[in-house]
Amino acid sequence: MNPSGARRTERDQENIRGRHGMPPTKRKSSDERGGGGGGAKRPALQCTSNKQHLYLLLDDWERGYSVRRLDVDAFEPDDAGADDDLPPERFTEPPVARIEAEAAEYASERNFVSHGAKIFAMQPGEASPAIPAFDASTLALSLCPWPFSYRQYGLPSFASAAGKLLAFTDTDAVYLGDQPPCGSKAPWSWAAIEARSPFYASQVTCYALHPDGRTLFVSAASLRSHRSGTFSLDAERLEWRRHGDWLLPFSGQAYFDAELEAWVGLCGEMGSPGHLCSCDVAPIAAEFTRPPSWKIGKEKLFRKNPELHLGAKLVYMGRSKFCLVEFLFQKDDDDHPRSDQPRRRVLDMTTFGLKYSKEGKLQTTLQRSRACKMNKRPQDYGGSLIPLAFWL
């Protein structure tokens, strides 16, 4: 998991830390900041580009995935509540990169994870000992060792917290250390987490990072004798804590939004597909707590035809702005879309803001934009049901 967002001012950061019981940050002196008295001011460092983009990974290549980069500022304006069909366009420009990786059947959304500025492809070929990683800041590809010595287990769960890339299976847990500097002979390696995960990775329903940046909350359904519940991992101390026999109300990844002071994600409650949900941040200190209060947005964001719907992913872009990426069958494909698994896929993307109304209800703002793209897969079977989308 790699929640991303816009940069905040120091005052905003201190307000957030104070509300969630975190100690204030120690301010550096002028000498520590490089602002010693009397000298001329140093020129500001010029960054080549700090603009973030929406990255899509598409299995439209016979040997793996193509990496597409979209500028959401170029999306077309979209009136709130509009549900008209937007003709999908093909990708005309070449991809920014290609990643060689196996296409997992219906679960490949768990084979990719963003960490820092990188996207890791956690589905290497059987003969490959390494994982390809794409760096969005440099557009370069690098190789990372596979985290486990065997693959006879359920698909791992991955998350990013406190500068660590975490990986969990039903039996093991590891984290990835920092990448060695250029020219170093030291290997890029994983380290074991001694505290075993108190849940099965294959039963994770949702997860969210606490605003402290180091505590990962995970909800997992019951499996065999293990009860359902919500747990947290202190990614610095590598210690687990159980918070109760309740589950967070999300499906997949949720994000902390500072302006709403809540976690936000796609609702995982039965009968509410396509609705957003906001949830109070659970306290870290208490081991057993009551479930936090949460609200379901009134508006359904999925497009009308459920027969074409495959899945969706919510991407957080910072400052209460989100992008919903919905995965659809192409409606013009012949025969019944569920019977023959046609190759064409449509990605319907909508950006919007979120706020609470005067009545305290979660609602989208009117400043919307939308784009619709289509790609063709090289095979007729398998494929992800959830879009592989990242904000980097």
Side-chain angles (χ1 to χ4, degrees):
M1 168 184 162
N2 182 31
S4 58
R7 295 178 176 84
R8 304 187 183 99
T9 65
E10 291 184 5
R11 180 177 295 177
D12 291 339
Q13 292 171 344
E14 293 304 323
N15 289 338
I16 293 170
R17 297 180 68 85
R19 283 194 296 268
H20 295 278
M22 293 176 281
T25 54
K26 181 180 178 182
R27 297 185 180 275
K28 294 182 179 181
S29 67
S30 60
D31 290 338
E32 288 176 308
R33 295 193 300 265
K41 292 183 178 180
R42 296 181 181 179
L45 295 177
Q46 298 295 325
C47 181
T48 54
S49 176
N50 59 1
K51 182 175 180 178
Q52 293 179 290
H53 295 82
L54 180 67
Y55 285 86
L56 303 173
L57 272 70
L58 307 175
D59 56 347
D60 57 359
W61 181 42
E62 63 274 7
R63 299 181 63 178
Y65 295 79
S66 62
V67 182
R68 300 284 181 175
R69 182 175 63 185
L70 299 181
D71 183 359
V72 298
D73 292 336
F75 287 6
E76 295 292 331
D78 182 49
D79 293 333
D83 204 15
D84 56 319
D85 290 331
L86 188 66
E89 300 177 349
R90 291 186 178 275
F91 291 96
T92 56
E93 298 180 357
V96 296
R98 285 193 173 96
I99 296 178
E100 196 167 315
E102 292 181 353
E105 292 190 18
Y106 303 113
S108 57
E109 71 274 5
R110 291 182 62 187
N111 292 347
F112 291 84
V113 61
S114 63
H115 176 61
K118 288 184 171 61
I119 299 174
F120 291 80
M122 295 296 190
Q123 187 70 16
E126 287 295 329
S128 174
I131 300 163
F134 167 75
D135 193 317
S137 63
T138 62
L139 303 185
L141 288 172
S142 56
L143 292 176
C144 171
W146 178 251
F148 304 102
S149 58
Y150 56 90
R151 299 187 189 179
Q152 287 74 34
Y153 47 72
L155 196 63
S157 290
F158 300 96
S160 179
K164 295 183 177 71
L165 177 58
L166 309 163
F168 313 105
T169 70
D170 289 348
T171 57
D172 299 290
V174 296
Y175 69 91
L176 182 64
D178 294 334
Q179 185 175 8
C182 182
S184 173
K185 295 183 179 180
W188 198 4
S189 60
W190 298 78
I193 299 176
E194 294 183 3
R196 180 178 173 179
S197 305
F199 55 84
Y200 286 104
S202 56
Q203 298 300 306
V204 171
T205 59
C206 62
Y207 59 94
L209 188 64
H210 190 274
D212 68 358
R214 61 182 280 178
T215 307
L216 180 72
F217 277 76
V218 181
S219 287
S222 62
L223 181 68
R224 300 172 189 168
S225 61
H226 287 232
R227 294 178 299 171
S228 300
T230 294
F231 313 84
S232 68
L233 172 68
D234 186 321
E236 292 186 359
R237 296 182 179 180
L238 300 177
E239 296 176 350
W240 285 101
R241 174 175 288 171
R242 184 184 179 95
H243 293 273
D245 297 336
W246 47 268
L247 302 177
L248 291 170
F250 305 110
S251 174
Q253 184 177 0
Y255 309 89
F256 175 72
D257 183 86
E259 297 186 25
L260 297 178
E261 296 187 358
W263 283 319
V264 177
L266 288 173
C267 187
E269 295 296 305
M270 294 292 293
S272 300
H275 292 262
L276 295 181
C277 182
S278 65
C279 175
D280 290 347
V281 176
I284 298 174
E287 292 197 10
F288 289 93
T289 62
R290 298 168 60 182
S293 61
W294 46 274
K295 301 176 181 179
I296 297 179
K298 181 178 180 180
E299 182 180 4
K300 184 174 182 178
L301 298 179
F302 289 172
R303 297 295 158 181
K304 278 184 178 179
N305 196 340
E307 190 68 21
L308 300 176
H309 178 84
L310 281 167
K313 183 175 181 180
L314 186 69
V315 179
Y316 182 51
M317 301 189 296
R319 298 194 178 188
S320 301
K321 190 173 183 180
F322 296 81
C323 181
L324 178 68
V325 184
E326 188 177 3
F327 222 179
L328 305 162
F329 285 113
Q330 167 59 15
K331 68 176 183 178
D332 295 330
D333 280 333
D334 296 333
D335 300 325
H336 194 281
R338 296 285 181 181
S339 61
D340 60 353
Q341 296 294 313
R343 294 185 180 185
R344 291 191 294 177
R345 299 289 187 268
V346 173
L347 293 108
D348 199 317
M349 297 158 283
T350 306
T351 66
F352 54 87
L354 274 184
K355 68 177 182 179
Y356 288 124
S357 67
K358 293 181 180 179
E359 295 77 22
K361 296 182 179 180
L362 185 67
Q363 65 180 34
T364 59
T365 60
L366 299 179
Q367 292 76 25
R368 286 183 164 201
S369 61
R370 186 179 171 198
C372 195
K373 295 287 188 179
M374 180 176 64
N375 70 289
K376 187 174 182 179
R377 303 171 59 252
Q379 65 273 352
D380 294 318
Y381 60 88
S384 174
L385 299 180
I386 304 294
L388 304 175
F390 306 92
W391 181 252
L392 300 171

